[in-house]
Amino acid sequence: MKEDNKASDRSYLDTTLPFEERVVDLVGQLTLEEKVGLMSHPAKGIPRLNIPAYNYWSEALHGVARNGRATVFPQAIGMAATWDKDLIKKVASAISDEGRAKYHAALKRNGYTDQYQGLNFWSPNVNIFRDPRWGRGQETWGEDPFLTGELAAAFVKGLQGNDPKYLKTAACAKHFAVHSGPEKERHTFNAIVTKRELYDTYLPAFKKLVQDADVEAVMGAYNRTLGEVCCASKLLIEDILRGEWKFKGHYVSDCWALADFHLNHKVTKDAPESAALAIKRGCDLGCDHVFDEIPEAIERGLITEEDVDHALERSLLSRFKLGMFDPPDQVPFTSISMDVVGCDANRKLAYQTAVESVVLLKNKDNILPIKPTTKKIFVTGPNATSTEVLLGNYYGFNDQMVTMLEGITGRIPEGMGMEYTTGAMLKHPREIKETWAPGMAQSSDLAIVCGGFSSFLEGEEGESLLSPEDGDRHSISLPASQVNYIKELAILGTKIVLVLTGGSPIALGDVEDMVDAILFIWYPGMEGGRAVADVLFGDASPSGKLPLTFPKSLDQIPAFDDYSMAGRTYRYMEKEPLYPFGFGLSYSQFAYNDLKLEKEKIELGDSLSVSVMVQNIGAITAPEVVQFYLSDLEASTIVPIHHLIGFTRVMLESGEKQKVEFIITPEMMSFFNDDGKLTLEPGDFRLEVGGCSPGKRGQDLGAPKPISMNFTIG
């Protein structure tokens, strides 16, 4: 270590040098104790070098989280329902603006930044939502690897910014890999998948974020995959992430996952062995205190100080890219002021995102939007006045949250009557048997029942009130308290609009037939009430599409701990769902016509240009999400029944037509073989274009009739 600490010897402060060279210089000036102090999420300060303490653990799943005031956007699964990449990038850019402002304010106030005040955002979660019981599915972008990758890549680009030198914030793809419940077993579970399933389902989104979005960090999962702990997996970290994909960023453990090595997975004997294994396999930053045992690991000969240097260089490089060692006037984001936090522009963006996330699942006799001739409405249900259902998990706070009742109250036209009562509890039976609710419903033209789940009934390990030991759901049905209340209203002939909150599919059973309309609004963020009200009254047409399949019941899907994709998601599920992937109705109607292929037979390795005409045949201007699906009809191994290869949002006036063009690449026509290798074979393929995933169920529910054509690879 250099002992001369004159500024002239500190090349790491020379902003004309490459970051990589500066990092090496800094690490070379540190003692082993100082190095170790920088390798856990609460990185210690180094006073002699004027380096303040810094905490890597910050969250930004759908807004700056757990750090006071922020704009609260819809939960990630709700953002996924927009199918709007441009919007998602704008949301993430707004989040990173607020994160930057709050970081510099905390640094100025305290001289350092504590947990949740930093610029390393441990988002997005790109695990595949393969099972509706998983409580953390709400954090994801759905069940489809392609959709997840496309939307999450836009999110990462928005978070990290487009400056050629500096990162605005540092995004993190988590949890690598093959991780989606059960929550209570995550510290001991070994996920078993085939190489084909690994590459076909569980890895594509991570690859997209690494190679297309240049994500700065990757977080390892708690569990084992194919026998190896994910935070020290040769296959996942060495062979795939850094080998095949050439990832150059840093790898961080999930919190307390390194302690699981010796305490739960039993792959090491103690903390020094766990620290050594993680360092040797490429985990650079620990979200716990296991890396405090690095000196003992070195003494035992398990690793060398050079191994430690390589790991520290990767994590410190992120801090250099964030401008933490450079004069503020040279870093373009340091001037973002606190005025941006919760500003009007960001509120409007939260509103737009909430509107676009609303999925209309049913609209019998076009009962929605609410007609101007309606005399009186009845607002009821356990979630009508709930702020909790706006939040999701990993949330920030805002003093202007708009509940459903507040949103409807602000929108209802003068002269239209309205009454309200809770009517039912979220999950418990009513304590008071007698209620005025049926009478209020009978005297109204329409009952708007606000029900579903809250983020406190599903979530991470330890979060759920339904299952506090894990956070998952052991039933996906609407709670009996709500079902009984809806029956109580329906038996009187009340017309019911059911507004459902939730982060995952809800099996409705008989309720689906009892109600006239269903809006699924996820956890819609601070502007949720206003957005939903505007959809109810027709100021905006619903355009959200489901980013996952809603099964009719748990009987339709395999065991929760079975990670095989057989029978799961729209790609491999052969049973008829309640609501299919990609489904969502509009207040208008659309027609798909004139599908054209450049050729009906192409050579192996060629791309194929296609076009389709989409027309709004309804009476109002409305957006539609055009979806492209491909089926390989002659593959030599198991392949998806059909899979999403492209999508785009179009806004069409009544009667307007638009030609949508698309290119099918050889990679889209390929599949992963049993060895996990991308394979392109000759044979017949079917392309289907429409407003929902292929299948009779979507059309039965009112989705536009899709259009399809076959082509051949010769």
Side-chain angles (χ1 to χ4, degrees), residues 14 83 95 202 207 259 322 443 577 649 676:
D14 186 347
W83 293 53
I95 292 170
Y202 294 104
K207 182 180 180 182
L322 289 163
S443 67
R649 286 177 63 94

Side-chain angles (χ1 to χ4, degrees), residues 608-620:
L608 180 63
S609 297
V610 304
S611 66
V612 64
M613 191 67 69
V614 185
Q615 182 177 12
N616 183 345
I617 58 173
I620 66 168

Side-chain angles (χ1 to χ4, degrees), residues 496-513:
I496 298 173
V497 173
L498 181 58
V499 178
L500 290 172
T501 58
S504 50
I506 298 176
L508 295 175
D510 294 340
V511 167
E512 203 273 342
D513 292 325

